[in-house]
Amino acid sequence: MRHVWPPGGPPGELDRAALAGVYAYPARLDRPFVRVNFVASADGAVSAGGLSTGLSAPGDRQVFGLLRELADVVLAGSGTVRAERYRGVRTSPELRERRRARGRTEVPPVAVVTGTADLEPDARLFTDTAVPPLLLTTTGAAGRARERFGDTAEVLAVGEEVTPGAALDALAGRGLCRVLCEGGPALFGSFAAAGLVDELCLSVAPQLAGAGADRILGGPALEDGPEPLRTASVIAHDDGLMLRYRTTRGDRADPDGADPEGG
């Protein structure tokens, strides 16, 4: 991978430590910092054949794994969890040691936004994971969810509805402030409409998907019109690009720069 932007960043080819420095979270956080990660085709499609895994951006899997390594929690909507057949975050002794060195838990949990908690108990999210997932659901659905999932998940009742703000408050209450949101588009759209997105990491796959696929952002319209973004970094790998954008909210969260240890 080769650093392209901004000038003065790490020169030339990036090793893992340099890449972690590019994607480091702010050094100090007094609130959740929401980083959204997507892959899209060159013509703007969020999927091919109905799945994001149908798009292939060179180097995307490496960045995908690094972003999970740096995060406190991986956030996803229930539709994405079902469609992509989510499981727990993959780990290894090396990954666990790097996270311990950063003062993190060894494995970040997957947190699922779901109004009904209507997930299958035998799904890989519950059966193939090192740590139980968090289910962020409504007060009305929480009791049944606890009975249904037992100790295979931690059920968090966040209110009468699962708003982006309520979800972040629940995560922050557990010290989970480095939030990696992996979508889907409706969840991204709800956070964007609420003004709660700090950063967008977008891998551009050198492919044309054609008509019919959704865009990376769905859900409600942005009331104040297009959200301005600042280009924070650009990394090239073969024919793919890894773009990182900051919102105004994200810049306000980073007055002292990034964590030198990579987040």
Side-chain angles (χ1 to χ4, degrees), residues 13 23 25 27 38 43-44 78 98 161 190 201 209 221 237 240:
E13 294 295 318
Y23 285 100
Y25 281 87
F38 271 94
D43 55 336
S78 56
R98 285 198 295 266
E161 60 178 313
S190 68
C201 297
H237 185 71

Side-chain angles (χ1 to χ4, degrees), residues 12 29 92 120 122 128 137 151 167 187 202 211 214-215 238 252:
L29 289 173
S92 68
E120 294 302 322
D122 61 352
D128 187 7
T137 192
D151 60 3
L187 186 63
L202 180 64
D214 291 334
R215 296 165 56 195
D238 293 336
R252 289 198 302 265

Side-chain angles (χ1 to χ4, degrees), residues 21 25 37 50 107 135 150 160 173-174 209 224:
Y25 281 87
N37 184 42
V107 184
L135 301 186
E160 293 185 1
R174 282 156 176 74
D224 297 327

Side-chain angles (χ1 to χ4, degrees), residues 42-260:
D43 55 336
V46 73
S47 63
L51 297 174
S52 63
T53 50
L55 299 174
S56 177
D60 178 61
R61 300 307 298 177
Q62 182 178 348
V63 170
F64 176 86
L66 176 65
L67 294 186
R68 285 187 161 199
E69 178 185 329
L70 298 178
D72 291 333
V73 61
V74 176
L75 184 68
S78 56
T80 294
V81 167
R82 292 189 193 94
E84 304 284 350
R85 299 188 66 233
Y86 261 55
R87 61 187 179 185
V89 174
R90 300 294 87 187
T91 190
S92 68
E94 293 77 15
L95 280 171
R96 290 172 183 263
E97 177 55 36
R98 285 198 295 266
R99 286 184 60 84
R100 283 196 299 268
R102 294 188 178 101
R104 310 287 185 267
T105 60
E106 291 188 347
V107 184
V110 174
V112 183
V113 173
T114 170
T116 62
D118 187 20
L119 297 165
E120 294 302 322
D122 61 352
R124 295 199 304 173
L125 178 69
F126 307 104
T127 64
D128 187 7
T129 182
V131 295
L134 308 176
L135 301 186
L136 308 179
T137 192
T138 63
T139 303
R144 177 176 176 272
R146 292 188 180 104
E147 293 176 358
R148 190 177 189 204
F149 296 104
D151 60 3
T152 64
E154 183 178 357
V155 178
L156 307 181
V158 302
E160 293 185 1
E161 60 178 313
V162 190
T163 65
L168 292 184
D169 286 345
L171 295 176
R174 282 156 176 74
L176 306 175
C177 287
R178 297 167 184 84
V179 180
L180 175 62
C181 177
E182 295 182 349
L187 186 63
F188 179 18
S190 68
F191 272 79
L196 294 175
V197 174
D198 293 286
E199 190 170 280
L200 169 64
C201 297
L202 180 64
S203 297
V204 180
Q207 297 169 261
L208 296 176
D214 291 334
R215 296 165 56 195
I216 66 170
L217 195 151
L222 302 180
E223 291 185 1
D224 297 327
E227 169 80 14
L229 300 174
R230 177 181 66 82
T231 304
S233 64
V234 179
I235 293 172
H237 185 71
D238 293 336
D239 293 319
L241 290 175
M242 283 71 179
L243 310 176
R244 187 168 61 90
Y245 295 104
R246 277 280 176 89
T247 64
T248 302
R249 170 185 166 88
D251 278 335
R252 289 198 302 265
D254 198 9
D256 299 317
D259 189 325

